[in-house]
Amino acid sequence: MDTKNCPTSVEDIEFYKENGFIQYPNFFSKEEIKDLGDAVDDAITCNRDRILGAENGGRGSEDYEKVFNQMVNLWCDYPSVKSYSLNQRLAESARRLSESQHVRIYHDHAMIKPAGETSKETNWHQDSPYWPMDPIGSLSAWVAVDDVTISNGCLNFIPKSHKFGKLEPIALGKEGESIIKKMEDKEYELPDSVSMEMPAGGVTFHHGCTFHHAGANNSNRPRRAFAIIYIPDYVCFTGRGDAAGAADEMTAGGPWDHPLHPIVAGT
Ligand SMILES: O=C(O)CCC(=O)C(=O)O
């Protein structure tokens, strides 16, 4: 495997372990990322039944679709997406950050936040409570397909919040739900959030327990993002629901050994 172009250094691993996230604003160039944007546009236009929760001719639930339209496992349909979901530089970064012998993918997902007045924030949440995995340690790479700023819905993180471990799931489409609020109600003090503005092609990695959020998209164009979730070798399948569709073909308590979850870095 060609790992020599992987940007993740020993210092980056220490930063990630301490803070629960890391940013690479120029991981891909804008030119490189264009084919990913084209595939996401094609999927959202021509493949609306792929939108998670889609019903009634391809529309998701009213509240949820104001947060984002989400499409999972586009790597299975689009060769250009596959080169990101199975990308060795991304996967090797995830492997180093999670200090794992190898990483598999759980799934990829495009998240298109609609523009304009009806756009809603992505509530503060952790990812781990939604994942059928134990122990914690899985992480996401979030790829900016468009330039992202505070005003069109870049990600925000609470540094060190992954140290709370796995808490409870938050309803993403429900007004006022927030993991920050829940923790503050319990009188925990949290550091200030940090905003991950970056150009198209930039990538952030975040731990599955890191509190994160994106504001509403106040611009006049959809905000396109594409994320890949990585499973370290030490994380087992717990047997609950599996968004990626392979739950019935795997054993609870066992490894993620399935063609939908290939090893993408390490051995
Ligand atoms: O893109 C967003 O609005 C939220 C992304 C997110 O929650 C994630 O990638 O885990």
Side-chain angles (χ1 to χ4, degrees), residues 149-208:
T149 61
I150 291 171
S151 66
N152 76 346
C154 69
L155 279 190
N156 306 292
F157 296 122
I158 300 287
K160 307 180 199 294
S161 52
H162 63 307
K163 295 184 180 179
F164 286 110
K166 191 197 295 197
L167 303 169
E168 59 197 283
I170 294 294
L172 289 184
K174 190 169 166 200
E175 196 87 38
E177 282 272 292
S178 159
I179 192 66
I180 291 194
K181 184 167 180 317
K182 286 185 191 281
M183 295 305 275
E184 287 178 345
D185 287 349
K186 292 180 187 152
E187 304 199 341
Y188 285 101
E189 281 192 23
L190 300 173
D192 290 339
S193 64
V194 288
S195 295
M196 297 289 116
E197 295 191 320
M198 56 189 176
V203 176
T204 54
F205 289 85
H206 64 271
H207 186 284

Side-chain angles (χ1 to χ4, degrees):
M1 179 188 301
D2 174 17
T3 56
K4 65 180 181 300
N5 293 320
C6 172
T8 302
S9 64
V10 172
E11 292 74 26
D12 292 351
I13 297 167
E14 284 312 309
F15 180 91
Y16 172 83
K17 277 166 69 179
E18 182 58 18
N19 292 288
F21 71 90
I22 191 158
Q23 182 178 38
Y24 296 101
N26 304 110
F27 198 98
F28 298 110
S29 69
K30 282 196 183 189
E31 295 70 40
E32 252 179 308
I33 208 79
K34 189 178 171 310
D35 59 348
L36 179 60
D38 292 344
V40 169
D41 287 347
D42 185 85
I44 193 82
T45 313
C46 309
N47 239 333
R48 292 190 65 81
D49 57 342
R50 292 292 310 272
I51 297 172
L52 213 61
E55 290 158 342
N56 308 327
R59 299 189 67 80
S61 86
E62 210 184 309
D63 276 341
Y64 196 73
E65 75 178 12
K66 291 176 185 163
V67 177
F68 47 55
N69 284 302
Q70 189 177 13
M71 289 177 289
V72 168
N73 274 346
L74 292 183
W75 73 276
C76 298
D77 302 8
Y78 291 87
S80 57
V81 173
K82 195 170 181 174
S83 67
Y84 292 89
S85 303
L86 309 190
N87 183 278
Q88 298 200 338
R89 271 200 319 139
L90 282 174
E92 177 61 12
S93 288
R95 190 192 70 76
R96 292 183 192 181
L97 293 170
S98 59
E99 298 185 298
S100 178
Q101 290 299 312
H102 68 238
V103 288
R104 296 176 180 272
I105 57 167
Y106 176 36
H107 61 75
D108 64 28
H109 51 151
M111 287 168 285
I112 298 123
K113 195 179 257 303
E117 281 171 21
T118 56
S119 176
K120 289 181 69 166
E121 67 178 326
T122 315
N123 290 338
W124 282 102
H125 68 285
Q126 299 178 305
D127 294 330
S128 283
Y130 309 108
W131 295 340
M133 301 179 194
D134 192 55
I136 58 174
S138 293
L139 70 166
S140 294
W142 191 96
V143 183
V145 180
D146 293 301
D147 295 344
V148 288
T149 61
I150 291 171
S151 66
N152 76 346
C154 69
L155 279 190
N156 306 292
F157 296 122
I158 300 287
K160 307 180 199 294
S161 52
H162 63 307
K163 295 184 180 179
F164 286 110
K166 191 197 295 197
L167 303 169
E168 59 197 283
I170 294 294
L172 289 184
K174 190 169 166 200
E175 196 87 38
E177 282 272 292
S178 159
I179 192 66
I180 291 194
K181 184 167 180 317
K182 286 185 191 281
M183 295 305 275
E184 287 178 345
D185 287 349
K186 292 180 187 152
E187 304 199 341
Y188 285 101
E189 281 192 23
L190 300 173
D192 290 339
S193 64
V194 288
S195 295
M196 297 289 116
E197 295 191 320
M198 56 189 176
V203 176
T204 54
F205 289 85
H206 64 271
H207 186 284
C209 295
T210 300
F211 298 4
H212 60 288
H213 159 272
N217 177 3
N218 298 313
S219 77
N220 55 12
R221 297 179 44 194
R223 183 229 62 190
R224 298 168 302 170
F226 182 78
I228 303 136
I229 302 164
Y230 297 97
I231 311 169
D233 64 278
Y234 48 79
V235 171
C236 294
F237 172 57
T238 54
R240 292 190 290 107
D242 174 17
D248 293 345
E249 294 161 29
M250 294 189 303
T251 310
W256 287 81
D257 192 9
H258 189 279
L260 272 182
H261 306 295
I263 292 176
V264 281
T267 50

